[in-house]
Amino acid sequence: CLDKDLSKKTQIETALCFDISHLGGSNMHGSAVWFSKDGPDKKMYRRYSLNFLKKNDDYGAMNYVLNKRLSKLQIENKIPDLIVVDGGKGQITQAKNVLDNLGIKNILLLGVVKGEKRLTKNDRILDASFRDITLSLSIYSLNTLQKIRNEAHRFAITSQRKKGLKRQFESKLDSIPGIGKVKKLELLRYFGGIQGVLKSSVEDLINVPGINSRLAEIIYRHLHLK
């Protein structure tokens, strides 16, 4: 379990995960999702609109969301045992800076890094010292951390479902060969919006009704390869 894999001193009862989601720097949102040993606690979820920040400032966005949420939790005396950030060294550094500034100690910090081609099987887990600890984790712990990260992302992108933005971004799907209205709606419904489609891997796309492996490759190449 996470306790045995990550720490011999700290019992992990609660985890808080942060994610920043945007499209080309616009319509930026941040999320903070809370997990206990019973699973997600949606009463503790928080979402933040970050359009006041400079475009493409992922690190500034992560710093803001971390500081906003942890400051409140510190006042409420509800600091989690584990913090997970969606990202690598840069995001972990922002988390460390916020924790230091707030004087929060004795807390585990991990980053979940998307691997090559954004395939789930290639995800890597970094600790607070930026060491890759993926191979030292059990399959259960790795899957649990991925599940927490995925939920933070899902919650962040639900803020991006305004009609005007959907019309603006859905056009990206219109020019893909083999993608008609029905398949486009299936993609958007399955991933919760265009941002979810853009963050999906080939293996994620194959899970969408009506999308086979050949079409999944076409969609991925069209959206990601220049």
Side-chain angles (χ1 to χ4, degrees):
C1 65
L2 283 172
D3 293 316
K4 294 180 180 179
D5 281 349
L6 300 177
S7 175
K8 295 181 180 179
K9 299 178 181 179
T10 304
Q11 187 173 9
I12 300 173
E13 298 282 352
T14 53
L16 181 62
C17 183
F18 295 89
D19 175 70
I20 303 300
S21 182
H22 61 82
L23 185 64
S26 64
N27 196 32
M28 186 179 294
H29 285 79
S31 68
V33 300
W34 183 279
F35 277 70
S36 69
K37 287 205 167 184
D38 294 324
D41 183 354
K42 295 189 177 182
K43 298 188 301 297
M44 296 287 287
Y45 282 23
R46 297 294 184 273
R47 189 160 46 216
Y48 305 91
S49 176
L50 304 171
N51 288 330
F52 60 89
L53 295 174
K54 292 182 180 179
K55 287 188 175 182
N56 300 314
D57 188 5
D58 286 357
Y59 296 159
M62 183 63 76
N63 186 291
Y64 176 86
V65 173
L66 280 156
N67 188 71
K68 190 83 171 178
R69 187 70 183 117
L70 289 173
S71 296
K72 185 69 179 299
L73 290 171
Q74 190 175 40
I75 294 172
E76 298 172 352
N77 196 27
K78 292 181 180 179
I79 298 298
D81 303 311
L82 168 67
I83 287 179
V84 180
V85 294
D86 179 26
K89 184 175 179 179
Q91 286 79 8
I92 293 171
T93 297
Q94 296 304 317
K96 291 171 70 173
N97 290 341
V98 171
L99 291 171
D100 287 343
N101 290 338
L102 294 176
I104 298 174
K105 303 181 183 299
N106 301 319
I107 188 169
L108 289 168
L109 172 62
L110 298 175
V112 182
V113 183
K114 267 292 188 184
E116 185 180 357
K117 289 189 176 181
R118 305 190 71 84
L119 294 175
T120 301
K121 66 180 181 180
N122 295 333
D123 281 352
R124 295 180 295 115
I125 309 300
L126 304 185
D127 67 11
S129 298
F130 317 126
R131 294 174 299 194
D132 189 334
I133 63 170
T134 311
L135 296 180
S136 68
L137 299 177
S138 66
I139 292 297
Y140 171 83
S141 291
L142 179 58
N143 289 343
T144 297
L145 292 169
Q146 289 172 323
K147 176 182 177 181
I148 292 171
R149 185 274 314 277
N150 291 344
E151 175 64 2
H153 172 62
R154 181 203 67 77
F155 189 60
I157 66 174
T158 56
S159 289
Q160 299 172 323
R161 293 180 178 177
K162 296 179 181 179
K163 290 184 178 180
L165 288 168
K166 286 182 70 176
R167 285 195 298 269
Q168 177 186 348
F169 298 139
E170 283 172 19
S171 61
K172 286 181 172 290
L173 300 177
D174 292 334
S175 58
I176 302 177
I179 297 296
K181 182 177 180 180
V182 173
K183 286 187 174 63
K184 183 174 79 170
L185 291 175
E186 286 287 357
L187 284 165
L188 294 169
R189 185 179 298 113
Y190 186 88
F191 292 108
I194 188 62
Q195 182 70 21
V197 180
L198 291 170
K199 282 198 171 186
S200 65
S201 66
V202 172
E203 63 183 11
D204 293 330
L205 290 165
I206 293 173
N207 292 323
V208 179
I211 305 297
N212 57 30
S213 59
R214 183 187 67 83
L215 190 51
E217 288 282 357
I218 291 172
I219 295 169
Y220 183 86
R221 288 199 303 269
H222 186 90
L223 294 176
H224 298 278
L225 302 183
K226 304 295 185 183

